[in-house]
Amino acid sequence: MAEYNPFENMLSVLDKAAENLGLTRNDYEVLRHPERELLVSVPVVMDDGHVEVFQGYRVQHNSARGPYKGGIRFHPAADLNEVKALAAWMTWKCAVVNVPYGGAKGGIAVDPTKLSKGEQMRMTKAYTERIAPIVGEHRDIPAPDVNTDGQVMAWFVDAYSKVMGHDVLGVVTGKPIELGGSLGRNEATGRGLMLALKHYYEANNDSIKGKKVATQGFGNVGSIGSKLIQDEGGIIVAVNDIGGTFYNAKGIDVKKAMAYSSTHGKSLKGYQEDGLQEITLADFWKLDVDVFFPAALDNQINASNVNDIKAKVILEGANGPTHVEADAVLEKKGVHVIPDIFANAGGVACSYLEWVQNLQGFYWTEAEVNEKLARNLKLAFNDLWALSQEKKVTLRMAAYMIALKRVVRAVQLRGM
Ligand code: NAD
C-alpha cells in the first residue's frame, strides 16, 4: 500500500463520490483544498522553569454551510496532513447530519501524559491565544478530541474570554455542565455510535442483542459507545487500549472497566475480572466477532490486518480508522463499514445543540437533548441507507455523496 497520507485518502474517496454524482472538477475543486491552514508555536514555561515550544495547528477546511466546527487533539503524531484530513472529515460529517457548520480541526504535537496539569493548562491557554484571531462563536468553534476533554475546553473558554474582554461560552463545545456545557454531550458520540449500529441492524431485520464486539480505544468514544452497546444486549468480548489488549469470552464488564480506567491514568493496564485474559494486538484483529469498533486513532485497519478481519461489520468510532485501500478489501469481502462521517457524528450533532443553548441562554433537559439527537441521527441514517440501496454503493460512498452534494450546493448558492 502507498505511504499513508490521510488527506490524500480523503481526496480519493471524494473524487469517486464526485464522479458518482456526475460533478465536474470545477464544481468541487475548491473543496479539495482547505480554506485556511494556521501553524502556531505554543510556548510553555514548564514546572522546572525551562521553556518548551510545541507545534500547534488549526485548519479550516470549508465554511460554505456555516461557521467552522471541529475538535482539538493533543497527540505526538498530530501533523498538518492529519489535521487537514480531520478538518475535511468535519465538513462532510456536519453535512451528513445536516448541522449548519463547516469543518475544521486543530491540534498540538505533544504527549500530554508527560505534562503536569499546570503545564497542560498553560499550553492550552497559550494555544488558545495563538489561534484566537481565527476562532469565535460565529467563526470557528472547537471541541474535545483525542486527549482533550471538558477541562481543556474550560481553559480554552477562559483564555479566549480574556482575549475578547467578555465571557464567550459558545466559542467551544464539550464544556463541563457548570460552564455552559450541554447535558448529554459527554455521552453523545458513544450514543450516536450505538444508534448507528442499532439502525444498521434494524435495516437488516436484525438487532444488537447477542452480537460480539471488539473495541479499540477506551476513551470517551470507545468506553461510552461500548457501554451503550452492552446496554442494548451486545457483548463486548475484547478491548484494546494504550494499556494492552483484553479478552473475555463471556463479555467484559464495561462499567467496571470504565471505573478502573478512570482511576488508573485513563488506561486499562493491570485491569482484572473473572475470565479476563490478555492477548496480543495481532490476535485482537483475528478475533471471531460480529463487529469491530475502532475508537482510537486513524489508519488502524490497513494492509497489515485487513485480511485477518472476520467481523461482518466495522463501526467507525475513530475518524479515519480504515485505510482507503483496506476499505476496498473490506468491500470485496462483503464487510459492511458504518462510516466515521456518519457513525461518530453524534458528538458534533450534540455540540450543535450545546452551541444553540449557549447562544439562546436557555437550557434543555437531558431527555430533550437526547431526543433531538436521536431524531437527527435517525433522519441521517434513513438518507444514507436509502441512497446506498438505490445506487448500490457502500454506506461510506453514500455518506460522501450526500455530504458533497449538500456542500457543493451551498458553495454554488454563495457564488464562490
Ligand atoms: P480519548 O483521548 O478519550 O481516547 C482515546 C483512546 O484511544 C484511549 O483509550 C487510548 O488509550 C486509546 N489509544 C490511543 N492510542 C492507542 C493505540 N496506539 N492503540 C490502542 N489504543 C490507543 O479520545 P476520544 O475522544 O475517545 O477519541 C477517539 C477517536 O474518536 C478519535 O479518532 C477522535 O477523533 C474520534 N472522535 C471523537 C469524538 C468526541 O466527541 N470525543 C467525536 C467524534 C470522533
Side-chain angles (χ1 to χ4, degrees):
M1 287 187 187
E3 201 188 322
Y4 175 63
N5 177 332
F7 191 70
E8 292 293 332
N9 265 242
M10 184 285 296
L11 287 179
S12 65
V13 186
L14 189 71
D15 288 343
K16 186 86 189 99
E19 191 187 320
N20 288 345
L21 286 168
L23 297 177
T24 68
R25 193 68 176 248
N26 280 347
D27 291 327
Y28 76 105
E29 180 64 29
V30 66
L31 302 170
R32 300 181 88 258
H33 307 267
E35 289 175 1
R36 192 173 287 118
E37 299 168 28
L38 178 65
L39 303 185
V40 292
S41 18
V42 183
V44 182
V45 180
M46 306 301 275
D47 290 348
D48 66 3
H50 86 278
V51 174
E52 290 232 9
V53 180
F54 299 96
Q55 180 66 58
Y57 307 88
R58 186 74 186 167
V59 173
Q60 298 175 329
H61 174 256
N62 186 268
S63 58
R65 288 173 41 89
Y68 305 99
K69 184 91 188 78
I72 294 168
R73 72 169 50 175
F74 293 166
H75 196 274
D79 67 17
L80 192 57
N81 275 328
E82 184 185 70
V83 181
K84 277 167 68 177
L86 288 161
W89 286 325
M90 284 307 296
T91 302
W92 314 134
K93 192 182 303 186
C94 292
V96 167
V97 292
N98 220 352
V99 291
Y101 290 133
K105 204 80 178 194
I108 302 179
V110 61
D111 180 355
T113 61
K114 301 220 159 73
L115 268 52
S116 71
K117 198 100 177 156
E119 288 165 344
Q120 288 185 38
M121 179 179 78
R122 294 193 291 280
M123 180 180 73
T124 303
K125 292 194 171 194
Y127 172 73
T128 307
E129 286 166 20
R130 293 284 157 108
I131 69 165
I134 65 162
V135 298
E137 63 181 354
H138 294 292
R139 200 174 285 156
D140 180 356
I141 306 129
D145 193 75
V146 175
N147 289 328
T148 56
D149 56 13
Q151 174 60 79
V152 172
M153 295 304 109
W155 292 328
F156 196 107
V157 164
D158 187 67
Y160 185 77
S161 298
K162 289 213 166 83
V163 171
M164 298 305 287
H166 61 95
D167 235 12
V168 192
L169 290 180
V171 67
V172 286
T173 56
K175 298 179 292 291
I177 303 298
E178 302 86 339
L179 209 69
S182 174
L183 294 166
R185 172 61 185 90
N186 191 46
E187 298 77 22
T189 309
R191 181 173 300 284
L193 281 148
M194 177 275 286
L195 289 170
L197 190 61
K198 194 173 170 180
H199 296 325
Y200 165 82
Y201 276 126
E202 281 169 1
N204 285 287
N205 298 314
D206 201 349
S207 83
I208 292 181
K209 206 165 166 34
K211 296 293 183 297
K212 287 189 279 179
V213 180
T215 302
Q216 185 192 38
F218 204 62
N220 174 278
V221 179
S223 70
I224 295 172
S226 296
K227 160 82 176 50
L228 294 172
I229 289 169
Q230 192 171 66
D231 290 349
E232 290 292 314
I235 306 161
I236 311 298
V237 293
V239 174
N240 160 249
D241 83 345
I242 202 79
T245 311
F246 305 87
Y247 174 77
N248 190 338
K250 293 184 299 181
I252 289 171
D253 182 340
V254 176
K255 225 168 147 183
K256 189 174 159 193
M258 284 169 83
Y260 180 90
S261 167
S262 71
T263 50
H264 291 80
K266 296 189 181 171
S267 163
L268 285 172
K269 194 175 173 60
Y271 177 62
Q272 287 181 346
E273 66 175 31
D274 232 26
L276 192 81
Q277 60 185 105
E278 272 213 56
I279 61 171
T280 64
L281 183 58
D283 284 341
F284 172 80
W285 295 111
K286 290 181 190 146
L287 284 173
D288 191 6
V289 292
D290 299 292
V291 181
F292 259 113
F293 174 25
L297 301 173
D298 49 341
N299 196 28
Q300 296 302 298
I301 299 176
N302 53 41
S304 72
N305 57 14
V306 67
N307 287 309
D308 294 333
I309 287 178
K310 298 189 185 75
K312 283 277 160 278
V313 178
I314 310 284
L315 177 66
E316 292 190 332
N319 287 305
T322 311
H323 190 286
V324 71
E325 291 173 23
D327 209 31
V329 177
L330 292 173
E331 187 182 353
K332 242 187 232 146
K333 283 172 53 159
V335 178
H336 288 178
V337 178
I338 310 180
D340 48 5
I341 61 169
F342 163 68
N344 70 33
V348 74
C350 193
S351 276
Y352 167 61
L353 299 174
E354 176 175 334
W355 180 73
V356 168
Q357 292 172 86
N358 292 152
L359 295 187
Q360 68 185 1
F362 177 74
Y363 289 81
W364 296 313
T365 65
E366 188 163 355
E368 285 172 307
V369 170
N370 286 344
E371 193 265 329
K372 290 182 203 320
L373 176 68
R375 185 155 23 104
N376 176 318
L377 296 178
K378 177 73 175 130
L379 287 173
F381 178 81
N382 289 349
D383 287 348
L384 204 66
W385 186 256
L387 189 67
S388 82
Q389 297 290 302
E390 183 198 328
K391 301 283 183 200
K392 307 223 174 324
V393 293
T394 62
L395 289 170
R396 186 184 318 281
M397 185 47 61
Y400 269 79
M401 287 168 69
I402 289 170
L404 183 58
K405 194 172 172 185
R406 288 178 179 162
V407 179
V408 164
R409 178 75 184 135
V411 169
Q412 288 171 344
L413 282 168
R414 282 172 182 264
M416 257 186 224

PDB file of all heavy atoms in Angstrom, residues 94-107:
ATOM      1  N   CYS A  94     -20.567  17.204   9.233  1.00  0.00           N
ATOM      2  CA  CYS A  94     -21.620  18.180   9.560  1.00  0.00           C
ATOM      3  C   CYS A  94     -22.691  18.184   8.471  1.00  0.00           C
ATOM      4  O   CYS A  94     -23.875  18.371   8.762  1.00  0.00           O
ATOM      5  CB  CYS A  94     -21.017  19.576   9.720  1.00  0.00           C
ATOM      6  SG  CYS A  94     -19.963  19.696  11.177  1.00  0.00           S
ATOM      7  N   ALA A  95     -22.264  17.970   7.219  1.00  0.00           N
ATOM      8  CA  ALA A  95     -23.243  17.947   6.123  1.00  0.00           C
ATOM      9  C   ALA A  95     -24.090  16.678   6.181  1.00  0.00           C
ATOM     10  O   ALA A  95     -25.301  16.728   5.935  1.00  0.00           O
ATOM     11  CB  ALA A  95     -22.523  18.058   4.784  1.00  0.00           C
ATOM     12  N   VAL A  96     -23.479  15.537   6.525  1.00  0.00           N
ATOM     13  CA  VAL A  96     -24.229  14.271   6.575  1.00  0.00           C
ATOM     14  C   VAL A  96     -25.357  14.361   7.606  1.00  0.00           C
ATOM     15  O   VAL A  96     -26.469  13.906   7.355  1.00  0.00           O
ATOM     16  CB  VAL A  96     -23.296  13.072   6.900  1.00  0.00           C
ATOM     17  CG1 VAL A  96     -24.096  11.829   7.267  1.00  0.00           C
ATOM     18  CG2 VAL A  96     -22.408  12.759   5.709  1.00  0.00           C
ATOM     19  N   VAL A  97     -25.068  14.939   8.770  1.00  0.00           N
ATOM     20  CA  VAL A  97     -26.117  15.033   9.793  1.00  0.00           C
ATOM     21  C   VAL A  97     -26.822  16.394   9.736  1.00  0.00           C
ATOM     22  O   VAL A  97     -27.589  16.736  10.633  1.00  0.00           O
ATOM     23  CB  VAL A  97     -25.601  14.721  11.220  1.00  0.00           C
ATOM     24  CG1 VAL A  97     -25.216  13.265  11.342  1.00  0.00           C
ATOM     25  CG2 VAL A  97     -24.432  15.616  11.615  1.00  0.00           C
ATOM     26  N   ASN A  98     -26.533  17.140   8.672  1.00  0.00           N
ATOM     27  CA  ASN A  98     -27.258  18.368   8.378  1.00  0.00           C
ATOM     28  C   ASN A  98     -27.263  19.391   9.511  1.00  0.00           C
ATOM     29  O   ASN A  98     -28.312  19.969   9.826  1.00  0.00           O
ATOM     30  CB  ASN A  98     -28.702  17.996   7.996  1.00  0.00           C
ATOM     31  CG  ASN A  98     -29.187  18.853   6.838  1.00  0.00           C
ATOM     32  OD1 ASN A  98     -28.508  19.805   6.438  1.00  0.00           O
ATOM     33  ND2 ASN A  98     -30.361  18.538   6.314  1.00  0.00           N
ATOM     34  N   VAL A  99     -26.108  19.582  10.144  1.00  0.00           N
ATOM     35  CA  VAL A  99     -25.995  20.691  11.106  1.00  0.00           C
ATOM     36  C   VAL A  99     -25.291  21.846  10.379  1.00  0.00           C
ATOM     37  O   VAL A  99     -24.436  21.609   9.520  1.00  0.00           O
ATOM     38  CB  VAL A  99     -25.273  20.303  12.425  1.00  0.00           C
ATOM     39  CG1 VAL A  99     -26.130  19.352  13.241  1.00  0.00           C
ATOM     40  CG2 VAL A  99     -23.895  19.712  12.185  1.00  0.00           C
ATOM     41  N   PRO A 100     -25.664  23.096  10.708  1.00  0.00           N
ATOM     42  CA  PRO A 100     -25.214  24.230   9.884  1.00  0.00           C
ATOM     43  C   PRO A 100     -23.797  24.699  10.194  1.00  0.00           C
ATOM     44  O   PRO A 100     -23.570  25.823  10.647  1.00  0.00           O
ATOM     45  CB  PRO A 100     -26.235  25.319  10.243  1.00  0.00           C
ATOM     46  CG  PRO A 100     -26.611  25.006  11.648  1.00  0.00           C
ATOM     47  CD  PRO A 100     -26.559  23.517  11.793  1.00  0.00           C
ATOM     48  N   TYR A 101     -22.861  23.809   9.950  1.00  0.00           N
ATOM     49  CA  TYR A 101     -21.447  24.114  10.197  1.00  0.00           C
ATOM     50  C   TYR A 101     -20.596  23.717   9.011  1.00  0.00           C
ATOM     51  O   TYR A 101     -20.956  22.799   8.252  1.00  0.00           O
ATOM     52  CB  TYR A 101     -20.921  23.294  11.378  1.00  0.00           C
ATOM     53  CG  TYR A 101     -21.432  23.645  12.748  1.00  0.00           C
ATOM     54  CD1 TYR A 101     -21.855  22.637  13.599  1.00  0.00           C
ATOM     55  CD2 TYR A 101     -21.413  24.960  13.215  1.00  0.00           C
ATOM     56  CE1 TYR A 101     -22.293  22.928  14.888  1.00  0.00           C
ATOM     57  CE2 TYR A 101     -21.849  25.249  14.506  1.00  0.00           C
ATOM     58  CZ  TYR A 101     -22.283  24.234  15.339  1.00  0.00           C
ATOM     59  OH  TYR A 101     -22.700  24.519  16.599  1.00  0.00           O
ATOM     60  N   GLY A 102     -19.437  24.337   8.938  1.00  0.00           N
ATOM     61  CA  GLY A 102     -18.375  23.855   8.068  1.00  0.00           C
ATOM     62  C   GLY A 102     -17.463  22.958   8.886  1.00  0.00           C
ATOM     63  O   GLY A 102     -17.833  22.494   9.969  1.00  0.00           O
ATOM     64  N   GLY A 103     -16.250  22.721   8.363  1.00  0.00           N
ATOM     65  CA  GLY A 103     -15.358  21.790   9.051  1.00  0.00           C
ATOM     66  C   GLY A 103     -14.000  22.392   9.351  1.00  0.00           C
ATOM     67  O   GLY A 103     -13.445  23.145   8.546  1.00  0.00           O
ATOM     68  N   ALA A 104     -13.469  22.056  10.534  1.00  0.00           N
ATOM     69  CA  ALA A 104     -12.133  22.492  10.940  1.00  0.00           C
ATOM     70  C   ALA A 104     -11.549  21.461  11.894  1.00  0.00           C
ATOM     71  O   ALA A 104     -12.254  20.541  12.334  1.00  0.00           O
ATOM     72  CB  ALA A 104     -12.206  23.855  11.636  1.00  0.00           C
ATOM     73  N   LYS A 105     -10.299  21.571  12.205  1.00  0.00           N
ATOM     74  CA  LYS A 105      -9.688  20.724  13.234  1.00  0.00           C
ATOM     75  C   LYS A 105      -8.422  21.399  13.725  1.00  0.00           C
ATOM     76  O   LYS A 105      -7.822  22.196  13.002  1.00  0.00           O
ATOM     77  CB  LYS A 105      -9.339  19.353  12.651  1.00  0.00           C
ATOM     78  CG  LYS A 105      -9.266  18.257  13.697  1.00  0.00           C
ATOM     79  CD  LYS A 105     -10.640  17.763  14.060  1.00  0.00           C
ATOM     80  CE  LYS A 105     -10.589  16.645  15.067  1.00  0.00           C
ATOM     81  NZ  LYS A 105     -11.896  15.958  15.158  1.00  0.00           N
ATOM     82  N   GLY A 106      -8.042  21.077  14.955  1.00  0.00           N
ATOM     83  CA  GLY A 106      -6.824  21.650  15.499  1.00  0.00           C
ATOM     84  C   GLY A 106      -6.069  20.617  16.295  1.00  0.00           C
ATOM     85  O   GLY A 106      -6.594  19.545  16.601  1.00  0.00           O
ATOM     86  N   GLY A 107      -4.846  20.950  16.619  1.00  0.00           N
ATOM     87  CA  GLY A 107      -4.090  20.007  17.429  1.00  0.00           C
ATOM     88  C   GLY A 107      -2.757  20.581  17.840  1.00  0.00           C
ATOM     89  O   GLY A 107      -2.299  21.594  17.309  1.00  0.00           O
TER      90      GLY A 107
END
